[in-house]
Amino acid sequence: MAENRTANGTATGWVLGAATVATGLIAGAFYVFACAVMPGPARSDDRVFVEVMRNINDVIQNPVFFLSFMGALVLSAVSAWQVRGRPYRGWVWAGLTAYALAFLVTVAFNIPLNDGLARTADVGVARERFEGAWVGWNVVRAVLSTVAVGCLGRALVLYGAFERRSAEPSRSRLAS
């Protein structure tokens, strides 16, 4: 029984760790957009701004990005299921909730804004409809995904402490 519990605990740790890493990668991507990517084209005229953003929106749709973007949600959900009944489960659920909200912001706001930018012919109108709203929603999702990383990171620390305590032989077992 102890071997099965250890194997389950190891799998739980790996999934929680992978969820934390995937969420961290996405939080970092959103952070970089807020700090460096968007301020760069913001210095450009409308035509350049729209062209650059359309290009970014095209190239970001790739398997590597989707693996992290979707993986963070799926791995966090699997981890939340795996840790049911454990004392640190609230941290995993908080991380899942924060990332799910960031995911929803992306799907409900950022992606439709990207689609609108792609469809609008007049670059001045396209930029006006896109830039302020997209930047604002990106900050929201950057903060939410960063909160998610913090929560999952805290859960990972508590998972390690919990597993160490669970693996220690109890004094009563040693005495017998």
Side-chain angles (χ1 to χ4, degrees):
M1 181 75 165
E3 280 183 33
N4 190 29
R5 196 186 125 32
T6 303
N8 288 340
T10 301
T12 299
W14 278 103
V15 172
L16 179 55
T20 305
V21 169
T23 306
L25 290 170
I26 295 302
F30 295 159
Y31 173 77
V32 168
F33 264 92
C35 294
V37 174
M38 296 308 292
R43 296 177 170 187
S44 303
D45 65 38
D46 294 344
R47 184 193 59 74
V48 170
F49 177 89
V50 170
E51 180 181 352
V52 167
M53 291 313 303
R54 285 175 177 167
N55 288 336
I56 289 171
N57 291 335
D58 285 342
V59 299
I60 203 162
Q61 295 180 47
N62 66 71
V64 175
F65 179 78
F66 282 131
L67 184 63
S68 297
F69 182 65
M70 299 297 290
L73 186 63
V74 171
L75 289 165
S76 295
V78 169
S79 184
W81 178 79
Q82 286 180 321
V83 303
R84 63 196 185 284
R86 301 237 175 120
Y88 53 89
R89 70 185 173 273
W91 288 103
V92 177
W93 279 99
L96 171 59
T97 301
Y99 185 73
L101 289 171
F103 187 92
L104 288 173
V105 165
T106 301
V107 171
F109 300 105
N110 293 91
I111 291 172
L113 287 165
N114 292 346
D115 294 343
L117 185 70
R119 284 190 312 267
T120 306
D122 182 320
V123 294
V125 171
R127 181 176 187 171
E128 185 179 321
R129 291 179 183 167
F130 176 85
E131 187 175 19
W134 197 96
V135 167
W137 285 114
N138 183 65
V139 169
V140 170
R141 67 187 184 164
V143 169
L144 286 167
S145 58
T146 301
V147 167
V149 172
C151 292
L152 293 171
R154 180 67 178 148
L156 201 52
V157 168
L158 295 173
Y159 157 82
F162 179 80
E163 290 299 311
R164 279 190 299 281
R165 280 194 307 275
S166 297
E168 291 175 1
S170 69
R171 293 177 198 252
S172 61
R173 280 188 274 165
L174 290 175
S176 30

